[in-house]
């Protein structure tokens, strides 16, 4: 797939097919893509923990749902006023209820807080997945239960978790991601000045 | 360009051709690619400040060099013991001395600290640039002079800067990025367990 098509059509896929298997080879391919990204001093601090075990996925799903429920409770009143937010919240609730059924969950870990080195790799992973027809979404909502997540997977004390990425074949359709025009998000030579 | 080729061959290009112009159209294309990335709640907090003005680039270059000099002074003794680090430091010094001569500098800004939403977009930008034959590297070394950088470009107090990306045609060659094997960076089902 052309890189620009992958960039244009990689969007959060929160409804994944629980019954369609994802091959080990495809998982290796997308994790390898993640590891190709640059990092400060080329130190490659990120570790990619691929969870396939059904019991562990189910437990992760429960820990995740608890966090989303506490996060979203306060947002509920907004769903009635903004249709775009309402749609997104609906798919977020779907993910919260079904995360553990995704065929694969990938947890991104590293010591310290090397954000830049982490998330450039995450984007590589999501683009590579898109090219293979696999849906992903990056979520950080597991963090309210981070200690329990780490205990479940044997993650050392000095290692932090930065994102949880469910992977599977999407139930929804691919299509251009809904984004604002570049003119609203870019400036030229000084803050606020039109890019042209 | 195929997305996997772009992923495999996007690496830090720190030696850029100061005399070869980069078109406005190509810059718009790579910034638009950046804006296609996902973000928390699809809020798209990142702003992409494209600096083409020669005087501003020169001043940014000076502020950048000051930071790199103070950062690297303590690392100098290591250059004699590790050839890979020595090579990288050499190109880092080159960039420090010539950053202001890059045809375009892109500063990534946002209020708050939405790291995930920022750096997934940065990777889109660097991959899109690669596909157009444009070299980039993500650096955060301007941060020791962040207040002066913000003053130079009129960036509001409540907005932070997350990365500085010089863009230009590379003087060096493209090629696979030097990265560790995926087996050293990924685990299966629990920390430390081989991915296979």
């Amino acid at each position: 797939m052309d890189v620009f098509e992958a960039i244009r059509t990689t969007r959060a896929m929160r409804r994944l097919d629980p019954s369609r298997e994802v091959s080990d080879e495809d998982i290796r391919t997308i994790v390898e893509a993640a590891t190709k990204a640059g990092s400060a001093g080329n130190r490659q601090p990120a570790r990619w923990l691929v969870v396939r075990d059904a019991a562990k996925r189910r437990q992760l799903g429960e820990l995740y749902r608890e966090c989303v429920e506490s996060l979203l409770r306060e947002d509920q009143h907004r769903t009635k006023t903004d249709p775009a937010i309402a749609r997104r919240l609906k798919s977020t609730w779907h993910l919260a209820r079904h995360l553990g059924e995704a065929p694969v969950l990938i947890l991104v870990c590293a010591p310290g807080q090397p954000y830049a080195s982490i998330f450039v790799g995450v984007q590589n992973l999501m683009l590579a997945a898109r090219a293979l027809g696999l849906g992903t979404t990056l979520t950080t909502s597991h963090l309210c239960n981070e200690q329990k997540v780490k205990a479940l997977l044997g993650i050392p004390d000095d290692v932090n978790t930065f994102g949880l990425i469910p992977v599977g074949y999407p139930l929804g359709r691919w299509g251009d991601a809904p984004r604002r025009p570049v003119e609203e998000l870019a400036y030229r030579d000084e803050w606020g000045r039109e890019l042209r």
Side-chain angles (χ1 to χ4, degrees), chain A:
Chain A
M1 177 181 287
D2 179 74
V3 61
F4 288 103
E5 185 183 350
I7 284 171
R8 212 176 56 239
T9 62
T10 295
R11 59 194 191 84
M13 296 306 246
R14 299 190 186 88
R15 292 183 171 88
L16 303 173
D17 188 340
S19 60
R20 193 166 161 204
E21 265 308 306
V22 176
S23 75
D24 282 343
E25 189 189 345
D26 280 358
I27 291 300
R28 193 186 185 284
T29 298
I30 68 173
V31 174
E32 188 167 38
T35 67
K36 295 299 182 189
S39 56
N42 202 21
R43 282 185 290 271
Q44 301 193 257
R47 295 296 176 272
W48 308 85
L49 212 167
V50 175
V51 182
R52 277 188 166 282
D53 178 82
K56 284 185 175 156
R57 281 186 285 124
R58 196 170 51 243
Q59 285 172 278
L60 280 172
E62 282 164 23
L63 294 170
Y64 181 78
R65 186 170 43 76
E66 276 181 19
C67 291
V68 175
E69 279 174 358
S70 71
L71 281 168
L72 289 192
R73 205 159 285 134
E74 56 214 71
D75 271 358
Q76 291 240 328
H77 67 280
R78 294 166 69 201
T79 66
K80 283 164 192 157
T81 57
D82 184 327
I85 292 180
R87 270 195 307 277
R88 200 172 51 245
L89 280 185
K90 206 172 156 193
S91 73
T92 298
W93 276 117
H94 177 91
L95 180 64
R97 293 195 187 98
H98 299 280
L99 182 113
E101 299 162 28
V104 183
L105 299 174
I106 301 181
L107 190 69
V108 196
C109 312
Q113 302 186 313
Y115 299 111
S117 304
I118 295 284
F119 291 113
V120 291
V122 166
Q123 186 66 7
N124 271 5
L125 186 148
M126 297 194 295
L127 292 168
R130 168 67 190 96
L132 299 176
L134 290 167
T136 59
T137 185
L138 169 61
T139 170
T140 57
S141 299
H142 70 288
L143 286 170
C144 94
N145 274 328
E146 188 180 28
Q147 290 311 315
K148 289 177 184 169
V149 168
K150 287 174 62 173
L152 176 68
L153 301 170
I155 298 171
D157 286 346
D158 65 334
V159 172
N160 300 309
T161 68
F162 294 87
L164 182 58
I165 306 168
V167 183
Y169 291 95
L171 292 170
R173 285 166 305 168
W174 297 104
D176 284 21
R179 308 287 185 234
R180 294 167 61 184
V182 60
E183 287 73 16
E184 295 179 13
L185 307 170
Y187 304 128
R188 179 169 174 137
D189 288 330
E190 63 180 64
W191 187 266
R193 188 167 154 197
E194 204 181 346
L195 179 64
R196 285 173 306 176

